[in-house]
Amino acid sequence: MRREISIAGRLLTKCRPSVRLSYNPFAQTPGNWPRMSRFSSIPRPEPSTAMDTRNHCAKADRRWWKNTVVYQIYPASFKDTDGDGLGNINGITEKLDYLSELGVEVLWLSPIYRSPQKDMGYDISNYYAIHPPFGTMDDVHRLIAEVKRRGMKLVMDLVVNHTSTEHPWFVESAVSKESLRRNWYIWRPPKYDKEGHRQPPNNWACLLDESESAWTYHSGTEEYYLSLFSPYQADLNWENADVRAEVHDVARFWLDKGVSGFRMDVINLISKDQRFPDAEILHPGKKYQPGDKYFANGARLTDYLQELKEKVLSKYDILTVGEMPFLEDEEQQLEIVKAEEGYLDMIFTFEMMGLDMVSEEGRFSFRPWSVDGLRKTIDKTQSMTTKMGWPSLFCENHDQPRSVSRWCDDSAAHRVCGSKLLCMMQTSLTGTLYVYQGEELGMRNIPATWEPEEYKDVESVSYWTHVCSTWPDGSPERKRAKDLLRRKARDNARTPFQWDSTSNGGFCAAGVKPWMRVNDDYPWVNAAAQVAVARANEKTAIVPPYRFWQRALDIRKQYANLFVYGDFELIQNTHPTVFGFKKSCIQESDVSITVLNFSGKEAEFMVPAEYQVRRWVMGSYDSLSTEKPKEGLISLLPWEGLVGLCKVGANGT
Ligand code: TEU
């Protein structure tokens, strides 16, 4: 069942999913098929059994942004050099050697633009200026030059779904209904309920505060504006060609300065259903409901991306990655990233981040996740390469808890092994790899002993305020909410970077109060301590995460055919705790196997009979791991991961 439609002169073949995953990163509409999507009415074909799943490695074109490692910097928390307790641009420049030594090649900076910082810079009030506490435009020029001098590249965050309400465009838009910029944003009149009380134009919930409306009332002009994330972040009206032209100018401005690409913030939310209908009731009893079905992956998304590509992006040799929550359908994902015909090089999707969430319960929820879920999710993203798409790989970013705390065990006994296990998983998968600051040290979540007052993120603050106004102090509900905050708050990733064991973890000078409390573990979890250990290829007793990452990135480069571009296949895919996979490439005589025991208990794993491990090249327990048997049944210690290069035996393929 496949139908072709012609839209705007292009022949499109579009598909509707027959099966949908129930996960959703915001715990919103389970299965968010966009009604307005141009492919929504087209049936999906039966899965093709004839699809050739091998040898894509050899076919893939080899653009620079594929075989590269991107390191995300959260400027507020990276390094303070001017004594105000907030990280700054010169702090990044100062640490470039550390980054280049680690082996990263591209830096992605979370927003540094002028902003009232209601959402840590994701609320921009001037795209052409720098937030003064971060530094000046000259500092940025110097950073770009120093990055280039080291053969590295810089990627910026492009946040154009919304602006700060302090942006002059919004200020002008809000002046009156007749303002020339009125329709730069999304304004709608109120609705009135049966009792005559004023209500927002529809029932959509706010994304960073599920108990509130996605609309904010403006008494001056007696209308509401759409503010999907928070009342301080007003959604731009992309239907307006002037808005799009201005966004194109912003992108050109930064590319002309020599930046090498963009991470595009929630870029799949730019086309909204213009009817702004009420969302279906998914959370009975709640006033506001998830509206993503109507504001994500909308009908004109690909038109807007095509225009951006045509007018701006295609004119530069850059990396583009779109952050796309609420996008789970493979065909849609592929349409965005497909080689040549796609609009962006790659996207961030959040299926893995949903494995430990309960959709019906919202953002702050938790359920134990399974290795089987992880296996299926990764298998799905890896399979993109078989259809000429390109995956992005990440376990952390500034919105997610720390990976070792979330997916492994961050206790003193297991933290190091767990970080190495996650490192091996990421460095042996196909795609462009993204490492988040501190991940290379095995940094951990906020300690359980911290009170909610230490959490600074707008989302955490709204959540906790709501909890406190709903449940009394000492109630089990509050206790549970506190636990969820500790597990899931974005603050977990935002504590200051731990450079050394001096006060404030070396993030800022002694005596200066950092903008956010430094994790108490800095005396033993810090960069200096890990860098001080000899390089990992020497037989040291315990290789720390930084040295392990450094070596893993080397190995990834050295065997790029297998690790960066290789064809992915699951092995022993029913194992309850071990995630195993094989990588191969027609251009290589070896294949690799990665075996990851996601458990605090020992496990056994059978090396497939057709392979004999020539060499275990990486292992969580270092020399202990790499001396494991080369074939047959191998026993794995808690949180032990292994990566081996294998000869293909007589029965091998
Ligand atoms: O995030 C989009 C977003 O809403 C999610 O990443 C969300 O924070 C996460 O799913 C929580 O689980 C982007 C930015 O990364 C985030 O920091 C901003 O707050 C948001 O957009 C608005 O700009």
Side-chain angles (χ1 to χ4, degrees):
M1 295 218 309
R2 202 174 174 94
R3 229 191 281 161
E4 292 181 332
I5 46 170
S6 178
I7 292 176
R10 287 194 303 145
L11 193 66
L12 299 165
T13 308
K14 298 291 173 271
C15 314
R16 181 208 287 274
S18 50
V19 180
R20 264 190 237 147
L21 294 177
S22 59
Y23 154 68
N24 177 321
F26 296 93
Q28 308 257 344
T29 325
N32 42 48
W33 190 254
R35 221 170 247 172
M36 293 281 289
S37 168
R38 53 165 58 150
F39 15 76
S40 60
S41 59
I42 314 298
R44 178 191 177 94
E46 292 308 311
S48 159
T49 44
M51 178 73 77
D52 177 10
T53 56
R54 291 180 308 168
N55 301 339
H56 289 276
C57 156
K59 290 176 207 152
D61 66 4
R62 302 209 164 189
R63 310 279 304 273
W64 67 264
W65 43 262
K66 291 188 172 177
N67 185 5
T68 199
V69 184
V70 184
Y71 185 94
Q72 184 191 351
I73 293 183
Y74 197 64
S77 297
F78 194 58
K79 173 73 189 164
D80 171 27
T81 58
D82 57 8
D84 61 359
L86 185 77
N88 52 358
I89 293 159
N90 288 342
I92 302 170
T93 312
E94 188 182 294
K95 294 297 184 182
L96 289 179
D97 288 337
Y98 166 86
L99 297 171
S100 133
E101 281 267 294
L102 173 62
V104 302
E105 297 156 309
V106 178
L107 307 182
W108 146 31
L109 297 195
S110 276
I112 54 169
Y113 317 98
R114 190 164 294 212
S115 154
Q117 302 286 319
K118 300 283 190 197
D119 185 20
M120 297 301 295
Y122 285 91
D123 50 321
I124 297 170
S125 56
N126 186 342
Y127 291 96
Y128 301 102
I130 305 302
H131 179 52
F134 285 157
T136 63
M137 195 59 95
D138 279 347
D139 295 338
V140 175
H141 293 152
R142 200 164 67 87
L143 172 64
I144 295 176
E146 288 296 313
V147 163
K148 288 202 169 147
R149 201 164 68 75
R150 288 166 178 81
M152 296 159 81
K153 295 177 196 287
L154 191 73
V155 162
M156 299 287 274
D157 221 307
L158 190 67
V159 188
V160 287
N161 172 68
H162 45 266
T163 69
S164 160
T165 47
E166 290 184 25
H167 195 294
W169 302 337
F170 184 81
V171 173
E172 196 181 327
S173 179
V175 167
S176 78
K177 285 182 187 151
E178 288 69 46
S179 160
L180 287 178
R181 285 201 209 269
R182 186 66 169 179
N183 71 353
W184 277 47
Y185 293 84
I186 301 166
W187 294 94
R188 288 291 180 278
K191 273 188 174 168
Y192 289 90
D193 62 19
K194 284 188 217 110
E195 286 82 44
H197 296 132
R198 177 172 50 73
Q199 298 294 342
N202 67 27
N203 67 351
W204 298 356
C206 170
L207 288 171
L208 295 182
D209 185 353
E210 291 162 357
S211 60
E212 293 295 334
S213 167
W215 298 86
T216 307
Y217 187 62
H218 179 249
S219 54
T221 53
E222 299 179 333
E223 283 194 324
Y224 284 84
Y225 59 91
L226 184 66
S227 51
L228 283 178
F229 285 90
S230 78
Y232 316 105
Q233 293 158 292
D235 286 65
L236 280 164
N237 177 19
W238 275 67
E239 304 290 311
N240 183 336
D242 294 342
V243 168
R244 302 200 300 272
E246 189 71 42
V247 168
H248 300 159
D249 283 350
V250 168
R252 270 187 218 104
F253 174 83
W254 287 99
L255 293 170
D256 290 342
K257 278 201 183 297
V259 312
S260 303
F262 295 115
R263 174 268 188 188
M264 303 181 186
D265 193 62
V266 288
I267 199 68
N268 61 329
L269 307 195
I270 56 181
S271 165
K272 282 120 181 154
D273 186 329
Q274 293 302 300
R275 295 167 301 170
F276 295 95
D278 271 339
E280 288 72 15
I281 311 289
L282 288 169
H283 302 158
K286 290 202 178 160
K287 185 161 183 198
Y288 301 111
Q289 301 292 324
D292 54 276
K293 177 170 166 187
Y294 301 107
F295 63 68
N297 315 313
R300 298 189 67 194
L301 171 63
T302 51
D303 293 340
Y304 298 153
L305 292 178
Q306 172 62 26
E307 187 186 33
L308 183 62
K309 175 179 169 183
E310 216 169 270
K311 295 194 168 155
V312 187
L313 307 178
S314 61
K315 313 234 185 285
Y316 302 81
D317 180 21
I318 53 171
L319 174 159
T320 56
V321 51
E323 188 207 23
M324 300 209 172
F326 313 112
L327 182 62
E328 291 160 23
D329 178 67
E330 261 180 288
E331 295 293 333
Q332 283 189 308
Q333 295 179 348
L334 205 63
E335 183 184 16
I336 309 280
V337 299
K338 199 165 180 164
E340 307 304 329
E341 306 146 42
Y343 310 98
L344 301 175
D345 298 333
M346 60 201 126
I347 52 179
F348 291 138
T349 57
F350 294 88
E351 281 115 320
M352 178 175 161
M353 303 303 147
L355 293 174
D356 62 352
M357 288 177 71
V358 186
S359 316
E360 299 72 34
E361 290 178 17
R363 250 283 289 145
F364 288 96
S365 63
F366 173 75
R367 64 169 176 184
W369 59 279
S370 70
V371 166
D372 200 45
L374 180 71
R375 190 185 277 137
K376 290 196 172 106
T377 303
I378 291 186
D379 190 33
K380 180 184 161 195
T381 36
Q382 290 288 289
S383 76
M384 260 195 181
T385 53
T386 64
K387 300 163 196 162
M388 302 311 281
W390 188 249
S392 65
L393 308 165
F394 73 95
C395 281
E396 290 189 17
N397 65 35
H398 64 292
D399 294 332
Q400 302 297 331
R402 287 293 183 177
S403 56
V404 69
S405 305
R406 185 178 195 178
W407 309 111
C408 300
D409 175 347
D410 66 4
S411 66
H414 297 301
R415 181 184 68 88
V416 170
C417 286
S419 336
K420 293 179 188 176
L421 174 105
L422 292 168
C423 167
M424 280 180 269
M425 178 174 90
Q426 297 178 81
T427 53
S428 59
L429 286 171
T430 292
T432 300
L433 177 55
Y434 292 78
V435 184
Y436 179 69
Q437 68 180 43
E439 185 176 1
E440 79 279 19
L441 303 178
M443 275 180 66
R444 308 191 295 177
N445 275 356
I446 285 175
T449 49
W450 286 17
E451 289 303 318
E453 289 64 45
E454 301 287 357
Y455 292 68
K456 306 285 180 223
D457 178 24
V458 58
E459 184 185 42
S460 312
V461 172
S462 312
Y463 174 69
W464 189 246
T465 309
H466 180 69
V467 166
C468 292
S469 65
T470 316
W471 308 107
D473 198 11
S475 61
E477 288 83 1
R478 257 210 215 185
K479 202 165 156 285
R480 189 169 166 271
K482 196 170 156 185
D483 181 59
L484 289 170
L485 196 62
R486 185 182 60 80
R487 275 184 192 280
K488 293 297 180 71
R490 308 195 297 181
D491 305 72
N492 282 306
R494 302 179 180 187
T495 58
F497 192 95
Q498 294 162 206
W499 290 104
D500 57 40
S501 59
T502 64
S503 69
N504 296 327
F507 163 71
C508 57
V512 171
K513 190 172 177 330
W515 77 276
M516 192 181 175
R517 183 166 162 188
V518 181
N519 195 312
D520 306 335
D521 61 16
Y522 74 84
W524 64 95
V525 180
N526 66 65
Q530 300 193 17
V531 171
V533 177
R535 283 185 77 96
N537 42 15
E538 291 170 25
K539 281 199 171 179
T540 330
I542 298 177
V543 176
Y546 174 88
R547 288 298 189 197
F548 193 86
W549 268 97
Q550 190 179 41
R551 176 147 189 270
L553 294 179
D554 260 6
I555 294 175
R556 180 174 171 82
K557 266 263 139 76
Q558 203 180 331
Y559 297 96
N561 277 337
L562 291 178
F563 296 133
V564 179
Y565 297 106
D567 298 321
F568 172 93
E569 212 179 294
L570 291 170
I571 48 178
Q572 219 179 304
N573 61 4
T574 51
H575 199 296
T577 66
V578 179
F579 172 32
F581 57 88
K582 174 190 115 176
K583 297 293 292 293
S584 61
C585 180
I586 193 129
Q587 292 156 334
E588 292 292 322
S589 51
D590 281 347
V591 303
S592 70
I593 60 170
T594 301
V595 177
L596 310 162
N597 182 19
F598 275 93
S599 160
K601 298 204 177 85
E602 291 182 18
E604 289 190 322
F605 191 85
M606 183 64 96
V607 176
E610 61 268 38
Y611 309 120
Q612 196 193 27
V613 178
R614 218 164 38 74
R615 192 157 62 93
W616 290 112
V617 285
M618 291 188 257
S620 301
Y621 292 80
D622 309 313
S623 53
L624 202 62
S625 287
T626 49
E627 280 153 22
K628 292 262 157 164
K630 303 277 191 287
E631 58 193 317
L633 200 64
I634 44 172
S635 52
L636 297 165
L637 291 167
W639 306 108
E640 181 168 28
L642 289 168
V643 178
L645 292 174
C646 306
K647 282 192 285 218
V648 179
N651 333 329
T653 47

